[in-house]
Every structure is written in C-alpha cells, then in structure tokens.
Amino acid sequence: MPPRPRSLAAACLTIAAFAALIVARNPDALFTPQFWAEDGCEWYARAHNSGALRSLVQPFGGYLQTYPRLVGILSVALGLRHAPLVMALCALAVQAIVPAFLMSSRFESVVPGRLRRLALALVLLTAPNLYEVHLNVSNSHVHLALLAFLVVIAPPAASRGWRAFDVGVLLLSGVSGPFCVLLLPVAVVAWLHDRERWSRVRLLCVLVPALVQLRLLYGVPGSSRIGWQPDLGASLVGLLEILGGQIFVGGLVGVDAYARLHETAWGGHAWLPAVLGALGLAFLVRAVLVTRSFALRALLMFAGLHLAAALRSPLIFGEGRPWELLQRPYAGMRYYYFSILAYLATLLWTAVADRSRALRVVACGLLAVLLVTGIPADFALPRQPDLRFAEQVARFEAAPLRERVELRITPPPWTMTIVKRRRSFRWW
C-alpha cells in the first residue's frame, strides 16, 4: 500500500521540525560550514585523491564506513567549495530521521501516546554531554545505528514501503560501522520475542553485514582496535567512576557542570563518582528486572554492549591510561551516546510507569535537573574557530597541477591534504 499524501506530508514536516531544532543547536554547521575531522581528512580527501570507487571499498578503523564514503564521493562531485555544507546536510538528514521514525505510527504499540514519544524524541535531540556526535558525517554511524536499533524493535512492517525502509536502513547501517555486530544479539532476542516472519528478515539483514564487518575487523593485521589493550587501566572502580561521572552526572547536568564537579567535588571526595556509578547501575539493573517494556530492556542491552566494546578498545589520546582519560570531561563523548540515551529513557519510563512511588518521585526530580540544568547548559554547542575556508579553497584553486595542498580543518590542529588535479572527481 503506497503512503497516503497526508501521512507523507506529516512525516516531511516532522523531519523538518526536528532538523530545525538540530540546526538551532549549531547554526554554524550550515551557515559557516567547515570540514570536521575525518569529514575532511578521510572521507573527502580519500575520495578526491584515490577516486570514488577505490575509496568506497576502503575500510577505515578496520571496518567498512559506507555512508561516510558515499557522502565523501558526493561532496567531491559537487566541488570543494560546497563540500562542507553537503556533508553537514547529509549528517543532518540522518540525525533528523531518527526521532521522526520514533514519532511514527510504527511505534504506537512500543511507546503508547504521542506525547510520550515526543518527550523521548526531544530528549534524544537535546541530551547533554554528547556534542561530539552532532552534525558531522564522521559520527553519523551512531545515529544510523540508533535508527537500525529502532527498526529492529519496531512492530513488523505492513507495507512494501516500510519494508524497503527497514531493509535499507539495516543494510546501510550494517556496512557503515561495527554497530551491526552489537545489534545482532538484540535482533536475535527481538526475533525470539515476537516470532514474526519479518523479524527473521530483519535478523538476516543484520547478520550478513555483521559477518562482513567481523571478517574485516579480524582480518586486518596490526589493527589497534582489535584485541585487549594491556594497559587500559581497567578496574571495577574505574568503571563505576566512568559511569558515575560521564553518564549519570554528565548526562543530567551537562559537560560544563560536570567539569566543575570533576575539579571540585571529585577532588575532595574521591569516592563520590564510584558511589554514584554504583547507585546508577543498580537503578538500571532494577529497571531491567521490573519493566514489562521489551523496548527498554533491548535499549539497555544494546547500550551495555556498546559501552563494553568501547571500553575494551577505546581510541583516545592524552597523557594517562585510556580509562583514566575517559573519566575526564569532554573526553570520548561518542562512547557514551547510547548509554546516556538509555539512562534518560529509563528515567522517563520510571517517572510514568514504575510501580514504586518513591522511585517515580526520584525520577521526576532527576528529570527536573535535566530540564533546568543539563539541556539549557548544553543546548548551544561550542563554536569552532573560523578557519576562513573560502580563502583556503581559493588557495587550492590557484595551486599548480599535481601539487599537494594542506588545508586547516576543525577542530584545530586537524588538517587535510588533497592533490590539485585537472578534474577533482574521478571514478578510479
């Protein structure tokens, strides 16, 4: 059955509204666009220097990153001058579709009530301590992974359009990062939960790219992302400190407030973050045991798998062991994306559905902190310095053929190097 015009128009308006909210947090991304990290030095530069098809099949970090590669190819085709804006728009599209899908009728039985789904969507878009994953293609794979998770736990699709959407999302997400490996257990549990034929199809759409990504992950000799790193500084206390600081505190009050606490209260009471971590973990475990919501249990499961994988092989730089660095404010935000969202979703569920009146009061109090402190403090994202991208493009265009030109990109001191050619876009 084809989508009705009214439904399609409503979906477009919903996506546009969420996109406007996303842009409001960082207007510079569209009105003063600049490359962000791997957006320039890997996705654009590789497609420009190596050719479109050659870059498309090139693993990065040990696994395929198809969506960023495709965006890099598109940005090269449209020209260097417009490339940062193209990348921002592609990142925006993925980020806005996720809450729009959550608001769709597909989720009425998962999260009953449009207002509840709207609350979840707004928390998703404004959650504190997560600005690293905002409006850049390099971290679009986390939003694609969340969309794939929502597809897996949604009721089976009834129309051909929705089925094509499900298959497309799962396959694209699967070949755009390693999250399909973590989603696979969730897909198995979802199939066992409802035993629907379409759940088997979705499971297959997760399994196939997961096998491909696993083959690449374990087939790249010398990859620093594979295997246990012996000097992580891992410990139970360290885990509780990361949970207590970055997720249970940072996810409520925002990164700047967490930074102040880290320098003051944390310094005078070294035991405090571990205690908060233990209390928060107990809160989440209790929710898993008492809730009747399969979606909440699945989200906590997926978030736990992601955090475990991230802490096992974190890519983070600085003086100190990785787990010590991960406790510091502003560090490794991309690793806490699903954990913070799962924590806030649990607070929302507790506030409206928990049988314990005392815990409902506690959850409402914590959500009030989020609304009064965390969201307002972290809503406006940090501005990046203006690196005068237009002037750099002019310098590149004036360079002689075959010269390697280095451009400055955000965040400093990142750079990208591209070769001046007669034609920027090449298939091979």
Side-chain angles (χ1 to χ4, degrees), residues 382-393:
R383 299 188 65 177
Q384 294 296 323
D386 185 357
L387 301 179
R388 301 183 180 277
F389 182 71
E391 295 179 7
Q392 297 193 72
V393 172

Side-chain angles (χ1 to χ4, degrees), residues 46 56 100 111 129 177 182 202 206 238 296 303 423:
R46 180 81 65 174
L56 185 61
V111 183
N129 201 27
L182 308 177
R202 291 185 295 197
V206 176
L296 182 61
R423 291 188 305 167

Side-chain angles (χ1 to χ4, degrees), residues 67 94 98 140-149 169 172-173 176:
Y67 184 72
V94 171
V98 179
S140 287
H141 62 330
V142 301
H143 302 292
L144 273 173
L146 179 58
L147 182 58
F149 167 81
V169 166
L172 180 60
S173 175
S176 299

Side-chain angles (χ1 to χ4, degrees), residues 72-96:
I73 292 169
L74 176 63
S75 62
V76 171
L78 296 178
L80 177 61
R81 189 173 298 274
H82 305 293
L85 177 60
V86 172
M87 289 198 160
L89 290 173
C90 290
L92 176 62
V94 171
Q95 201 167 338

Side-chain angles (χ1 to χ4, degrees), residues 68-145:
R69 294 290 188 202
L70 289 172
V71 175
I73 292 169
L74 176 63
S75 62
V76 171
L78 296 178
L80 177 61
R81 189 173 298 274
H82 305 293
L85 177 60
V86 172
M87 289 198 160
L89 290 173
C90 290
L92 176 62
V94 171
Q95 201 167 338
I97 287 173
V98 179
F101 181 65
L102 182 62
M103 288 294 297
S104 71
S105 58
R106 290 278 300 275
F107 263 79
E108 178 59 38
S109 62
V110 179
V111 183
R114 185 174 293 273
L115 286 179
R116 291 184 180 182
R117 297 202 302 280
L118 179 61
L120 278 173
L122 293 177
V123 166
L124 165 65
L125 294 178
T126 60
N129 201 27
L130 290 175
Y131 71 75
E132 190 178 52
V133 301
H134 190 81
L135 270 185
N136 61 78
V137 172
S138 294
N139 287 303
S140 287
H141 62 330
V142 301
H143 302 292
L144 273 173

Side-chain angles (χ1 to χ4, degrees), residues 270-288:
W271 48 269
L272 186 56
V275 170
L276 293 175
L279 291 174
L281 186 59
F283 171 73
L284 296 182
V285 170
R286 177 193 174 276
V288 170

Side-chain angles (χ1 to χ4, degrees), residues 308-366:
L311 295 180
R312 187 175 186 267
S313 302
L315 184 62
I316 189 165
F317 303 101
E319 295 184 4
R321 293 181 293 181
W323 277 35
E324 296 169 353
L325 298 175
L326 288 171
Q327 296 176 33
R328 299 176 184 176
Y330 311 101
M333 291 179 176
R334 62 194 180 278
Y335 294 138
Y336 310 124
Y337 179 72
F338 296 109
S339 296
I340 289 177
L341 294 183
Y343 167 53
L344 297 181
T346 305
L347 285 178
L348 288 169
W349 173 85
T350 303
V352 300
D354 201 297
R355 294 181 178 181
S356 170
R357 181 178 180 181
L359 283 178
R360 291 200 304 271
V361 171
V362 170
C364 288
L366 293 176

